[in-house]
Amino acid sequence: MDEIKRTILLPYDFTELSDFALQHAVQYAKMLDCDLTLLNIIENLDHEIEVTEKLTSLAKETQKDYKIRPKIMVRPGKVSKAIKRVATNINALLVIMKTSGTKGIKKFTGSRAIKVMSGSQIPFIVIQAPPKRNNIKHVIVPIDFRYENKEKLKWINFLVKVYKPNVSLFRPATTDYRIRNNLKFAIRFLEGRNINFELVHARGKKSFVEETLEFSDFIGADLIVIMLSRRITMAKIILGLKDQKLISNNFNIPIMCLNPRTDLRKYAGFR
């Protein structure tokens, strides 16, 4: 990971959920020994000075409370595009972002998180509540039929080097050969790197998403690592995209969201 600038980007809009995201971001920044940048997106530059002053005050408070001084950025534009653009420009390692639930009208406002993340080469961690603890102790990796499962394992390898969490591979109750192949690859990958893990089978009595979340809640998971769908449309979101069900889960479990990509192999940490 030496080629990646260690910076965590936190989109911040002065809400309680943003404060929760700040708590997560501080933890990650300290554990990863990287910078933290607070970003506020404004529609135009009319309020730039006011917002900059508020962010500066927040940065001072953060330094006082958490012993880390965030950088601040104010940028105009649409949230769905600006966050990805800024994350790319500063070569962020992670983006920590808040989201709301998916009940009623929130089902549509909650879809903003997916639109923001879609196509990004930088991982997002989406949160809904404060951190449960001061460390990442248990990570869940759902295994499905997609080839991109292999990319999730490279980030698991990175997280294990930093946090040393317990890892659970959660597989669906099916005999699909693609899932079997992905599972075999995952086991070889983890064993080849001396990463301890457990293999958990879904019961198959509910949807795979529901059982993933229930198991994660049962063991007190700190993070679920998922791969976003390649083609995300509003129609799919309205019909109940499984990605959104995971991201806005009722258990408030943080979700690490990756997009399918092929360029991670150039980084030493992912070999």
Side-chain angles (χ1 to χ4, degrees):
M1 299 296 297
D2 290 339
E3 297 181 40
I4 301 178
K5 182 180 178 182
R6 293 185 176 273
T7 301
I8 289 177
L9 181 64
L10 171 63
Y12 190 90
D13 62 3
F14 304 99
T15 61
E16 183 182 36
L17 280 175
S18 284
D19 289 333
F20 295 160
L22 175 59
Q23 294 174 37
H24 284 270
V26 165
Q27 285 191 5
Y28 277 95
K30 287 185 175 181
M31 288 295 297
L32 297 172
D33 190 25
C34 63
D35 295 331
L36 173 59
T37 300
L38 304 178
L39 169 68
N40 185 270
I41 306 298
I42 53 179
E43 293 185 3
N44 53 63
L45 295 176
D46 293 346
H47 302 289
E48 181 182 13
I49 295 176
E50 176 187 353
V51 173
T52 299
E53 290 176 350
K54 291 174 67 175
L55 283 180
T56 300
S57 177
L58 177 63
K60 293 179 180 178
E61 293 177 9
T62 303
Q63 183 178 30
K64 179 181 178 181
D65 295 339
Y66 301 108
K67 312 305 179 187
I68 183 172
R69 177 67 179 260
K71 300 176 182 178
I72 63 171
M73 297 181 70
V74 180
R75 294 291 184 272
K78 293 184 178 180
V79 171
S80 60
K81 295 181 179 180
I83 293 175
K84 281 183 288 192
R85 182 175 65 248
V86 171
T88 300
N89 289 343
I90 67 174
N91 201 17
L93 177 61
L94 294 171
V95 180
I96 310 291
M97 185 173 68
K98 55 97 172 179
T99 191
S100 56
T102 56
K103 295 181 180 179
I105 191 63
K106 287 185 178 181
K107 180 173 184 177
F108 300 96
T109 59
S111 68
R112 175 182 292 186
I114 292 181
K115 289 188 288 184
V116 169
M117 295 184 288
S118 181
S120 173
Q121 292 189 346
I122 296 167
F124 280 69
I125 295 180
V126 185
I127 67 91
Q128 300 182 77
K132 295 178 182 177
R133 53 181 68 93
N134 295 323
N135 200 350
I136 306 298
K137 291 190 175 181
H138 211 135
V139 176
I140 310 300
V141 187
I143 300 294
D144 59 28
F145 63 87
R146 293 178 296 176
Y147 173 81
E148 288 85 8
N149 273 269
K150 298 174 183 179
E151 295 178 23
K152 292 190 289 189
L153 295 171
K154 295 165 187 174
W155 274 98
I156 291 299
N157 184 45
F158 173 63
L159 291 172
V160 166
K161 289 179 179 179
V162 178
Y163 296 103
K164 296 180 173 53
N166 298 315
V167 176
S168 293
L169 299 180
F170 194 72
R171 62 154 296 171
T174 178
T175 58
D176 189 308
Y177 75 94
R178 295 170 297 179
I179 292 175
R180 291 202 308 269
N181 289 343
N182 280 343
L183 189 59
K184 290 178 181 178
F185 180 90
I187 291 173
R188 289 198 304 270
F189 183 96
L190 297 176
E191 289 181 342
R193 289 157 179 78
N194 297 315
I195 296 174
N196 294 324
F197 67 94
E198 65 171 346
L199 177 60
V200 183
H201 293 250
R203 294 176 298 174
K205 299 190 176 178
K206 297 183 180 180
S207 73
F208 185 54
V209 168
E210 289 177 301
E211 294 196 354
T212 298
L213 291 171
E214 289 179 359
F215 171 73
S216 301
D217 179 63
F218 176 74
I219 65 171
D222 299 289
L223 191 67
I224 302 175
V225 181
I226 70 169
M227 184 67 60
L228 295 175
S229 301
R230 279 188 178 275
R231 299 176 184 86
I232 297 175
T233 64
M234 182 55 66
K236 289 183 178 180
I237 292 173
I238 293 173
L239 291 172
L241 186 68
K242 66 178 181 179
D243 298 345
Q244 182 171 318
K245 293 178 180 177
L246 285 163
I247 292 166
S248 299
N249 66 84
N250 292 330
F251 301 107
N252 295 333
I253 302 170
I255 308 293
M256 184 177 198
C257 302
L258 311 175
N259 279 283
R261 56 185 290 192
T262 59
D263 60 330
L264 285 177
R265 290 179 177 83
K266 69 181 181 180
Y267 298 122
F270 293 101
R271 291 174 183 168

